[in-house]
Amino acid sequence: MSIWEMLAVFTAGISAGAINTIVGSGTLITFPVLLATGLPPVTATVSNALGLIPGSISGAIGYRAELRGQRSRVLKLTTGALVGGLTGATLLLALPSTAFETIVPVLVALALVLVIFQPRISRAVQRRRAEKGESAHPDGGPLLYIGLTLASVYGGYFTAAQGIIYLSLMGMLVDDTMQRLNAVKNVLAAIVNSIAALFFLFVADFDWTAVVLIAVGSALGGQIGAKVGRRLSPTLLRGLIVTVGTVAIVQLLLR
């Protein structure tokens, strides 16, 4: 890489780390930049996954206050994230690079619809439970576990808009604040990125220069994203999710 390409990758890493912590979809910034430096698609995907690990961990640490009292919830969802992330990483090397091109925009669009209507859906679910005398499952139940496991398969494969899908599922099935759910999202994303990256270390090609630049940048960006994201109101956070998700869909369709 030239010095300017290295600077571009580093800057993209900072931006991706911040956006991933607040919303998700940071890969849509780093991935095109890596391709522009001349890396093949799979090598760029693997390098990106490795580089974003420090950013995911940094973001999760930045949200540690919102994670208090959620240890049981995180531990229950961790298994699905591990299995899904490893499965997605395996599929990345086994399937053609265009395998997910059709379904990804549809998944993101569906997630955005769920995010937009999440308050109404939550109220409707609460009313129905009250009528039946049922209590909400504190961890979302089997439906959330299955949904997040499948989302983790996608996350291990590509990661773009993975966080948005996580937030939409948890927002619909868990009765909690957006900020606390966002904290769980950051932990799950860190787990998926880490397990996929460990797998890639042994079986795939990657570019160490790109990995280091994104790693340092994303770690800084994760702290920035945590400071900004924790101050956003639920409405602003939801609006930012929808905005970033819409941009993600457009970019995915134009690729």
Side-chain angles (χ1 to χ4, degrees):
M1 291 187 192
S2 69
I3 186 65
W4 296 110
E5 288 175 333
M6 293 172 67
L7 181 60
V9 172
F10 177 69
T11 303
I14 295 176
S15 301
I19 291 176
N20 277 341
T21 300
I22 301 173
V23 182
S25 299
T27 289
L28 295 176
I29 297 176
T30 49
F31 187 68
V33 173
L34 291 177
L35 291 180
T37 66
L39 292 181
V42 173
T43 302
T45 300
V46 173
S47 302
N48 183 64
L50 286 165
L52 288 179
I53 293 176
S56 299
I57 296 173
S58 176
I61 293 172
Y63 266 85
R64 59 190 178 278
E66 286 74 14
L67 283 170
R68 292 190 185 119
Q70 299 199 80
R71 181 178 180 181
S72 176
R73 177 182 293 168
V74 171
L75 288 176
K76 288 178 181 178
L77 297 175
T78 292
T79 304
L82 287 170
V83 173
L86 183 58
T87 302
T90 304
L91 290 176
L92 173 65
L93 302 181
L95 297 176
S97 60
T98 57
F100 275 25
E101 284 187 358
T102 301
I103 192 62
V104 168
V106 177
L107 286 174
V108 179
L110 178 59
L112 289 183
V113 171
L114 293 177
V115 169
I116 293 170
F117 291 101
Q118 181 261 325
R120 292 186 181 182
I121 295 172
S122 296
R123 287 193 294 268
V125 171
Q126 289 172 1
R127 283 197 301 268
R128 185 174 180 181
R129 285 180 181 142
E131 292 171 357
K132 293 185 175 182
E134 300 175 347
S135 58
H137 196 294
D139 302 319
L143 185 58
L144 178 62
Y145 183 84
I146 293 171
L148 288 183
T149 299
L150 293 175
S152 298
V153 173
Y154 165 68
Y157 185 93
F158 187 49
T159 77
Q162 168 192 2
I164 293 174
I165 299 173
Y166 282 160
L167 284 173
S168 68
L169 291 171
M170 289 190 290
M172 183 176 62
L173 298 171
V174 178
D175 185 16
D176 211 332
T177 66
M178 285 291 288
Q179 290 290 5
R180 280 171 58 82
L181 296 180
N182 200 28
V184 176
K185 177 266 291 181
N186 286 330
V187 174
L188 295 178
I191 291 170
V192 171
N193 284 345
S194 297
I195 191 65
L198 287 173
F199 175 76
F200 292 145
L201 277 175
F202 296 100
V203 299
D205 295 326
F206 51 88
D207 186 291
W208 269 117
T209 301
V211 171
V212 172
L213 290 170
I214 293 177
V216 176
S218 67
L220 293 173
Q223 288 299 300
I224 295 171
K227 289 182 180 180
V228 174
R230 294 176 66 231
R231 297 176 181 177
L232 297 177
S233 68
T235 301
L236 284 176
L237 180 57
R238 189 171 287 107
L240 183 59
I241 292 170
V242 173
T243 301
V244 173
T246 302
V247 173
I249 292 174
V250 172
Q251 184 170 336
L252 288 166
L253 290 174
L254 294 177
R255 281 184 57 201

